[in-house]
Amino acid sequence: MFAKQVSIFVENKKGSIANVISVLGKNDINIRALSVADTADYGILRLIVNNPEKAHDILKAEGYVSKLTNVLAFAVEDKPNGLGCVLDILGQNNIEITYIYSFVGHYKDQAIGVIKTTNLEETKIILEKNNVKTLKYDEIYKD
């Protein structure tokens, strides 16, 4: 139902993100989207990949702190204010957004948004009631 995101804690130093990406690439993990949030000492690298469970296991085996998180993926028109319309719907329904990022994906030439809210199930229901297409696992991870 929800998408799986891989979150990795990385040191905030030169080459640390490149090392994670390299480890995943050598293990046939294809990255669909990424987001980085950083502080002075470390960052959180959030990834949407073709095989999140495998990526998580590989990263843990390599000594990284990795976590799988449910997020909601949705399709949005790839045009000015396409995302703004979705955010307006969520705001009107008092949905608290923890974080959000997007990428141009493989869903009918539409951009794909990835969102984490305090209540993913409620968010999904609200979006679908407002004709926003939420995406299933195979719709965003297909190669």
Side-chain angles (χ1 to χ4, degrees), residues 28-42:
D28 296 322
I29 299 296
N30 189 20
I31 299 168
R32 293 278 184 239
L34 66 83
S35 172
V36 179
D38 69 341
T39 66
D41 298 321
Y42 69 92

Side-chain angles (χ1 to χ4, degrees), residues 33-132:
L34 66 83
S35 172
V36 179
D38 69 341
T39 66
D41 298 321
Y42 69 92
I44 301 172
L45 175 61
R46 295 182 174 110
L47 303 173
I48 300 295
V49 299
N50 62 326
N51 191 333
E53 289 83 7
K54 179 181 175 185
H56 173 68
D57 291 344
I58 289 165
L59 291 166
K60 286 187 80 166
E62 290 287 326
Y64 290 97
V65 176
S66 175
K67 177 175 143 180
L68 288 176
T69 307
N70 285 333
V71 291
L72 182 62
F74 59 92
V76 60
E77 288 188 75
D78 193 9
K79 67 175 190 176
N81 205 37
L83 180 59
C85 292
V86 174
L87 295 177
D88 286 345
I89 291 167
L90 297 176
Q92 292 165 9
N93 287 277
N94 299 313
I95 296 295
E96 184 178 335
I97 298 171
T98 307
Y99 56 81
I100 187 170
Y101 54 99
S102 65
F103 62 104
V104 177
H106 300 279
Y107 186 77
K108 300 181 181 179
D109 297 323
Q110 292 183 304
I112 298 173
V114 176
I115 192 166
K116 177 73 172 165
T117 65
T118 53
N119 188 331
L120 286 178
E121 190 63 48
E122 181 183 9
T123 303
K124 182 178 188 305
I125 291 167
I126 289 168
L127 290 178
E128 290 175 350
K129 280 184 181 176
N130 285 277
N131 300 313
V132 175

